[in-house]
Amino acid sequence: MADDGKTLDPALAARIADNFAAVRRRIAEAAAEAGRDPSAIGLVAVSKLQPPERIEAALATGHRLFGENRVQEATGRWPALKQRYPDVALHLIGPLQTNKVKEAVALFDAIETVDRPRLARHLAAEMARSGRRPDCLIQVNTGEEPQKAGVAPDGLGDLLALCRDALGLPVRGLMCIPPQDENPALHFALLAELAARSGLEVVSMGMSGDFETAIRHGATLVRVGTALFGERPPRP
Ligand SMILES: *Cc1c(COP(=O)(O)O)cnc(C)c1O
């Protein structure tokens, strides 16, 4: 028998269910304060590094939208889970190397981290080859941090033109990860403004520590890990 017969530790299941309910409540409150419809805000449950039983517990609550930041790690566990839960949607929220594009297009339903022409060209070629067309978001390096992925705000126009117009990628929106030591609100406001100006609907921003701020500034996707699953074990 497959591992779908595995029973969940009831205490763990209850704890994760409580966390999901609490985060949903906070999303609803932040949306209400901003005069926004809470159903317009998607919750990407970031499961990177989390033990499998916590993911099982999240699935048991009915949650179906997840995010992973490494192709390799996601490929190790999500194909089996997707077989059992065909309505799962999986977002790639970490950097994508061109040599992983084939696997990424096969597994993910959205790639939130398109950030350079070479990657865009590889994605377009693989989508044409495979017929799979995961949604694409362009990652913007709003803080212009040299070590961080993402296109600089003043390079967005050119990259978007390449992705959307020249390559025909299904670009739906923008994503950012603000600098750790700055007020995220300014970065969220900038990303929302760039998306509006570009005619893009999806705005992916906000994590456990700041998703309410992100919602006030127009996030349509928040990416939340530790507030849902608890602390992550360190990367081995
Ligand atoms: C890990 C991660 C998150 C979730 O972070 P938490 O602080 O655990 O909520 C969100 N976005 C990205 C890109 C991440 O890598």
mmCIF file of all heavy atoms in Angstrom, residues 93-125:
data_model
loop_
_atom_site.group_PDB
_atom_site.id
_atom_site.type_symbol
_atom_site.label_atom_id
_atom_site.label_comp_id
_atom_site.label_asym_id
_atom_site.label_seq_id
_atom_site.Cartn_x
_atom_site.Cartn_y
_atom_site.Cartn_z
ATOM 1 N N ILE A 93 9.553 29.150 -6.007
ATOM 2 C CA ILE A 93 9.794 30.494 -5.462
ATOM 3 C C ILE A 93 11.285 30.762 -5.248
ATOM 4 O O ILE A 93 11.647 31.778 -4.675
ATOM 5 C CB ILE A 93 9.026 30.701 -4.138
ATOM 6 C CG1 ILE A 93 9.474 29.690 -3.074
ATOM 7 C CG2 ILE A 93 7.522 30.588 -4.368
ATOM 8 C CD1 ILE A 93 8.946 30.004 -1.681
ATOM 9 N N GLY A 94 12.135 29.832 -5.691
ATOM 10 C CA GLY A 94 13.576 30.018 -5.560
ATOM 11 C C GLY A 94 14.219 30.110 -6.932
ATOM 12 O O GLY A 94 13.563 29.865 -7.959
ATOM 13 N N PRO A 95 15.507 30.447 -6.957
ATOM 14 C CA PRO A 95 16.217 30.640 -8.224
ATOM 15 C C PRO A 95 16.157 29.390 -9.108
ATOM 16 O O PRO A 95 16.214 28.272 -8.605
ATOM 17 C CB PRO A 95 17.663 30.902 -7.794
ATOM 18 C CG PRO A 95 17.639 31.185 -6.339
ATOM 19 C CD PRO A 95 16.380 30.611 -5.778
ATOM 20 N N LEU A 96 16.043 29.616 -10.399
ATOM 21 C CA LEU A 96 15.991 28.500 -11.355
ATOM 22 C C LEU A 96 17.192 28.558 -12.275
ATOM 23 O O LEU A 96 17.427 29.558 -12.956
ATOM 24 C CB LEU A 96 14.680 28.578 -12.163
ATOM 25 C CG LEU A 96 14.476 27.518 -13.253
ATOM 26 C CD1 LEU A 96 14.598 26.096 -12.696
ATOM 27 C CD2 LEU A 96 13.123 27.707 -13.933
ATOM 28 N N GLN A 97 17.971 27.461 -12.284
ATOM 29 C CA GLN A 97 19.097 27.354 -13.202
ATOM 30 C C GLN A 97 18.620 26.749 -14.507
ATOM 31 O O GLN A 97 17.711 25.926 -14.514
ATOM 32 C CB GLN A 97 20.191 26.475 -12.584
ATOM 33 C CG GLN A 97 20.994 27.229 -11.536
ATOM 34 C CD GLN A 97 21.589 26.311 -10.476
ATOM 35 O OE1 GLN A 97 21.414 25.096 -10.529
ATOM 36 N NE2 GLN A 97 22.268 26.922 -9.518
ATOM 37 N N THR A 98 19.269 27.148 -15.589
ATOM 38 C CA THR A 98 18.777 26.701 -16.893
ATOM 39 C C THR A 98 18.843 25.171 -17.031
ATOM 40 O O THR A 98 18.008 24.587 -17.706
ATOM 41 C CB THR A 98 19.557 27.368 -18.046
ATOM 42 O OG1 THR A 98 20.950 27.223 -17.798
ATOM 43 C CG2 THR A 98 19.232 28.841 -18.133
ATOM 44 N N ASN A 99 19.786 24.529 -16.351
ATOM 45 C CA ASN A 99 19.859 23.070 -16.472
ATOM 46 C C ASN A 99 18.751 22.346 -15.690
ATOM 47 O O ASN A 99 18.645 21.129 -15.758
ATOM 48 C CB ASN A 99 21.249 22.549 -16.076
ATOM 49 C CG ASN A 99 21.586 22.798 -14.618
ATOM 50 O OD1 ASN A 99 20.810 23.421 -13.897
ATOM 51 N ND2 ASN A 99 22.731 22.327 -14.179
ATOM 52 N N LYS A 100 17.924 23.109 -14.965
ATOM 53 C CA LYS A 100 16.799 22.502 -14.241
ATOM 54 C C LYS A 100 15.447 22.886 -14.855
ATOM 55 O O LYS A 100 14.394 22.558 -14.306
ATOM 56 C CB LYS A 100 16.815 22.959 -12.772
ATOM 57 C CG LYS A 100 18.065 22.553 -12.001
ATOM 58 C CD LYS A 100 17.825 21.239 -11.272
ATOM 59 C CE LYS A 100 19.117 20.642 -10.736
ATOM 60 N NZ LYS A 100 19.826 21.530 -9.819
ATOM 61 N N VAL A 101 15.501 23.572 -15.987
ATOM 62 C CA VAL A 101 14.264 24.099 -16.576
ATOM 63 C C VAL A 101 13.301 22.973 -16.967
ATOM 64 O O VAL A 101 12.092 23.067 -16.752
ATOM 65 C CB VAL A 101 14.599 25.012 -17.780
ATOM 66 C CG1 VAL A 101 13.414 25.158 -18.709
ATOM 67 C CG2 VAL A 101 15.058 26.381 -17.281
ATOM 68 N N LYS A 102 13.866 21.896 -17.512
ATOM 69 C CA LYS A 102 13.011 20.805 -17.969
ATOM 70 C C LYS A 102 12.216 20.211 -16.800
ATOM 71 O O LYS A 102 10.999 20.039 -16.877
ATOM 72 C CB LYS A 102 13.876 19.731 -18.628
ATOM 73 C CG LYS A 102 13.090 18.652 -19.299
ATOM 74 C CD LYS A 102 13.997 17.679 -20.042
ATOM 75 C CE LYS A 102 13.154 16.569 -20.647
ATOM 76 N NZ LYS A 102 13.969 15.576 -21.335
ATOM 77 N N GLU A 103 12.931 19.907 -15.706
ATOM 78 C CA GLU A 103 12.255 19.373 -14.518
ATOM 79 C C GLU A 103 11.257 20.365 -13.951
ATOM 80 O O GLU A 103 10.170 19.997 -13.494
ATOM 81 C CB GLU A 103 13.302 19.093 -13.428
ATOM 82 C CG GLU A 103 14.040 17.795 -13.539
ATOM 83 C CD GLU A 103 15.116 17.729 -12.456
ATOM 84 O OE1 GLU A 103 16.122 18.458 -12.563
ATOM 85 O OE2 GLU A 103 14.906 16.980 -11.490
ATOM 86 N N ALA A 104 11.642 21.631 -13.943
ATOM 87 C CA ALA A 104 10.775 22.659 -13.346
ATOM 88 C C ALA A 104 9.478 22.793 -14.136
ATOM 89 O O ALA A 104 8.392 22.870 -13.554
ATOM 90 C CB ALA A 104 11.508 23.995 -13.276
ATOM 91 N N VAL A 105 9.578 22.803 -15.456
ATOM 92 C CA VAL A 105 8.378 22.942 -16.287
ATOM 93 C C VAL A 105 7.474 21.714 -16.118
ATOM 94 O O VAL A 105 6.245 21.816 -16.120
ATOM 95 C CB VAL A 105 8.763 23.172 -17.767
ATOM 96 C CG1 VAL A 105 7.566 22.997 -18.696
ATOM 97 C CG2 VAL A 105 9.378 24.561 -17.933
ATOM 98 N N ALA A 106 8.107 20.559 -15.921
ATOM 99 C CA ALA A 106 7.322 19.330 -15.760
ATOM 100 C C ALA A 106 6.555 19.322 -14.435
ATOM 101 O O ALA A 106 5.440 18.810 -14.352
ATOM 102 C CB ALA A 106 8.233 18.112 -15.843
ATOM 103 N N LEU A 107 7.151 19.887 -13.389
ATOM 104 C CA LEU A 107 6.571 19.737 -12.047
ATOM 105 C C LEU A 107 5.748 20.934 -11.584
ATOM 106 O O LEU A 107 4.709 20.761 -10.944
ATOM 107 C CB LEU A 107 7.708 19.484 -11.038
ATOM 108 C CG LEU A 107 7.277 19.326 -9.579
ATOM 109 C CD1 LEU A 107 6.393 18.090 -9.410
ATOM 110 C CD2 LEU A 107 8.496 19.234 -8.654
ATOM 111 N N PHE A 108 6.223 22.139 -11.859
ATOM 112 C CA PHE A 108 5.598 23.310 -11.228
ATOM 113 C C PHE A 108 4.430 23.838 -12.054
ATOM 114 O O PHE A 108 4.398 23.718 -13.283
ATOM 115 C CB PHE A 108 6.643 24.409 -11.011
ATOM 116 C CG PHE A 108 7.616 24.068 -9.921
ATOM 117 C CD1 PHE A 108 8.842 23.484 -10.210
ATOM 118 C CD2 PHE A 108 7.301 24.313 -8.587
ATOM 119 C CE1 PHE A 108 9.736 23.145 -9.207
ATOM 120 C CE2 PHE A 108 8.187 23.982 -7.572
ATOM 121 C CZ PHE A 108 9.407 23.395 -7.879
ATOM 122 N N ASP A 109 3.488 24.432 -11.340
ATOM 123 C CA ASP A 109 2.329 25.054 -11.983
ATOM 124 C C ASP A 109 2.533 26.550 -12.156
ATOM 125 O O ASP A 109 1.809 27.196 -12.904
ATOM 126 C CB ASP A 109 1.088 24.766 -11.137
ATOM 127 C CG ASP A 109 0.888 23.266 -11.009
ATOM 128 O OD1 ASP A 109 0.455 22.649 -11.995
ATOM 129 O OD2 ASP A 109 1.238 22.691 -9.958
ATOM 130 N N ALA A 110 3.502 27.085 -11.423
ATOM 131 C CA ALA A 110 3.902 28.473 -11.630
ATOM 132 C C ALA A 110 5.374 28.602 -11.291
ATOM 133 O O ALA A 110 5.867 27.958 -10.371
ATOM 134 C CB ALA A 110 3.080 29.433 -10.766
ATOM 135 N N ILE A 111 6.053 29.419 -12.058
ATOM 136 C CA ILE A 111 7.462 29.714 -11.807
ATOM 137 C C ILE A 111 7.537 31.201 -11.493
ATOM 138 O O ILE A 111 7.289 32.040 -12.354
ATOM 139 C CB ILE A 111 8.322 29.311 -13.014
ATOM 140 C CG1 ILE A 111 8.288 27.779 -13.137
ATOM 141 C CG2 ILE A 111 9.768 29.815 -12.847
ATOM 142 C CD1 ILE A 111 8.874 27.217 -14.389
ATOM 143 N N GLU A 112 7.812 31.506 -10.204
ATOM 144 C CA GLU A 112 7.711 32.891 -9.733
ATOM 145 C C GLU A 112 9.013 33.659 -9.889
ATOM 146 O O GLU A 112 9.091 34.821 -9.510
ATOM 147 C CB GLU A 112 7.287 32.919 -8.248
ATOM 148 C CG GLU A 112 5.917 32.325 -7.980
ATOM 149 C CD GLU A 112 5.306 32.825 -6.663
ATOM 150 O OE1 GLU A 112 5.842 33.782 -6.069
ATOM 151 O OE2 GLU A 112 4.300 32.237 -6.233
ATOM 152 N N THR A 113 10.033 33.010 -10.434
ATOM 153 C CA THR A 113 11.377 33.583 -10.347
ATOM 154 C C THR A 113 12.054 33.754 -11.703
ATOM 155 O O THR A 113 13.257 33.582 -11.826
ATOM 156 C CB THR A 113 12.249 32.685 -9.433
ATOM 157 O OG1 THR A 113 12.127 31.322 -9.897
ATOM 158 C CG2 THR A 113 11.794 32.752 -7.990
ATOM 159 N N VAL A 114 11.280 34.097 -12.712
ATOM 160 C CA VAL A 114 11.874 34.397 -14.019
ATOM 161 C C VAL A 114 12.571 35.747 -13.890
ATOM 162 O O VAL A 114 11.941 36.733 -13.485
ATOM 163 C CB VAL A 114 10.793 34.443 -15.116
ATOM 164 C CG1 VAL A 114 11.432 34.738 -16.476
ATOM 165 C CG2 VAL A 114 10.002 33.136 -15.157
ATOM 166 N N ASP A 115 13.863 35.781 -14.178
ATOM 167 C CA ASP A 115 14.579 37.036 -13.886
ATOM 168 C C ASP A 115 15.672 37.400 -14.888
ATOM 169 O O ASP A 115 16.408 38.352 -14.667
ATOM 170 C CB ASP A 115 15.163 37.007 -12.463
ATOM 171 C CG ASP A 115 16.268 35.972 -12.317
ATOM 172 O OD1 ASP A 115 16.464 35.131 -13.228
ATOM 173 O OD2 ASP A 115 16.949 35.999 -11.271
ATOM 174 N N ARG A 116 15.794 36.625 -16.000
ATOM 175 C CA ARG A 116 16.845 36.979 -16.964
ATOM 176 C C ARG A 116 16.524 36.386 -18.334
ATOM 177 O O ARG A 116 15.856 35.350 -18.424
ATOM 178 C CB ARG A 116 18.204 36.509 -16.458
ATOM 179 C CG ARG A 116 18.286 35.028 -16.190
ATOM 180 C CD ARG A 116 19.470 34.669 -15.269
ATOM 181 N NE ARG A 116 19.691 33.228 -15.253
ATOM 182 C CZ ARG A 116 18.990 32.372 -14.511
ATOM 183 N NH1 ARG A 116 18.016 32.793 -13.726
ATOM 184 N NH2 ARG A 116 19.247 31.076 -14.567
ATOM 185 N N PRO A 117 17.034 37.020 -19.374
ATOM 186 C CA PRO A 117 16.697 36.608 -20.745
ATOM 187 C C PRO A 117 17.042 35.156 -21.047
ATOM 188 O O PRO A 117 16.259 34.448 -21.665
ATOM 189 C CB PRO A 117 17.522 37.562 -21.617
ATOM 190 C CG PRO A 117 17.707 38.785 -20.777
ATOM 191 C CD PRO A 117 17.808 38.287 -19.360
ATOM 192 N N ARG A 118 18.213 34.714 -20.593
ATOM 193 C CA ARG A 118 18.636 33.355 -20.905
ATOM 194 C C ARG A 118 17.655 32.337 -20.329
ATOM 195 O O ARG A 118 17.277 31.362 -20.989
ATOM 196 C CB ARG A 118 20.043 33.137 -20.330
ATOM 197 C CG ARG A 118 20.701 31.848 -20.743
ATOM 198 C CD ARG A 118 22.161 31.859 -20.240
ATOM 199 N NE ARG A 118 22.513 30.540 -19.700
ATOM 200 C CZ ARG A 118 22.811 29.499 -20.461
ATOM 201 N NH1 ARG A 118 22.814 29.609 -21.779
ATOM 202 N NH2 ARG A 118 23.113 28.341 -19.902
ATOM 203 N N LEU A 119 17.228 32.570 -19.091
ATOM 204 C CA LEU A 119 16.245 31.686 -18.459
ATOM 205 C C LEU A 119 14.918 31.746 -19.217
ATOM 206 O O LEU A 119 14.278 30.716 -19.459
ATOM 207 C CB LEU A 119 16.049 32.094 -16.994
ATOM 208 C CG LEU A 119 14.953 31.343 -16.224
ATOM 209 C CD1 LEU A 119 15.218 29.839 -16.202
ATOM 210 C CD2 LEU A 119 14.843 31.881 -14.797
ATOM 211 N N ALA A 120 14.510 32.925 -19.599
ATOM 212 C CA ALA A 120 13.242 33.082 -20.320
ATOM 213 C C ALA A 120 13.272 32.290 -21.627
ATOM 214 O O ALA A 120 12.300 31.611 -21.986
ATOM 215 C CB ALA A 120 12.980 34.559 -20.587
ATOM 216 N N ARG A 121 14.411 32.345 -22.324
ATOM 217 C CA ARG A 121 14.513 31.619 -23.597
ATOM 218 C C ARG A 121 14.461 30.111 -23.384
ATOM 219 O O ARG A 121 13.815 29.387 -24.140
ATOM 220 C CB ARG A 121 15.817 32.001 -24.315
ATOM 221 C CG ARG A 121 15.779 33.416 -24.868
ATOM 222 C CD ARG A 121 16.857 33.674 -25.926
ATOM 223 N NE ARG A 121 16.768 35.068 -26.327
ATOM 224 C CZ ARG A 121 17.460 36.056 -25.730
ATOM 225 N NH1 ARG A 121 18.311 35.779 -24.754
ATOM 226 N NH2 ARG A 121 17.290 37.304 -26.126
ATOM 227 N N HIS A 122 15.135 29.644 -22.350
ATOM 228 C CA HIS A 122 15.090 28.211 -22.036
ATOM 229 C C HIS A 122 13.666 27.777 -21.673
ATOM 230 O O HIS A 122 13.209 26.706 -22.067
ATOM 231 C CB HIS A 122 16.057 27.875 -20.902
ATOM 232 C CG HIS A 122 17.482 27.699 -21.352
ATOM 233 N ND1 HIS A 122 18.080 26.469 -21.493
ATOM 234 C CD2 HIS A 122 18.410 28.612 -21.698
ATOM 235 C CE1 HIS A 122 19.329 26.625 -21.919
ATOM 236 N NE2 HIS A 122 19.551 27.926 -22.045
ATOM 237 N N LEU A 123 12.978 28.611 -20.906
ATOM 238 C CA LEU A 123 11.596 28.278 -20.521
ATOM 239 C C LEU A 123 10.702 28.212 -21.756
ATOM 240 O O LEU A 123 9.892 27.283 -21.903
ATOM 241 C CB LEU A 123 11.062 29.323 -19.532
ATOM 242 C CG LEU A 123 11.551 29.176 -18.087
ATOM 243 C CD1 LEU A 123 11.201 30.429 -17.276
ATOM 244 C CD2 LEU A 123 10.946 27.935 -17.420
ATOM 245 N N ALA A 124 10.848 29.172 -22.643
ATOM 246 C CA ALA A 124 10.008 29.191 -23.846
ATOM 247 C C ALA A 124 10.253 27.944 -24.682
ATOM 248 O O ALA A 124 9.305 27.316 -25.194
ATOM 249 C CB ALA A 124 10.282 30.456 -24.652
ATOM 250 N N ALA A 125 11.519 27.565 -24.813
ATOM 251 C CA ALA A 125 11.849 26.385 -25.619
ATOM 252 C C ALA A 125 11.264 25.125 -24.978
ATOM 253 O O ALA A 125 10.707 24.263 -25.674
ATOM 254 C CB ALA A 125 13.369 26.264 -25.757
#
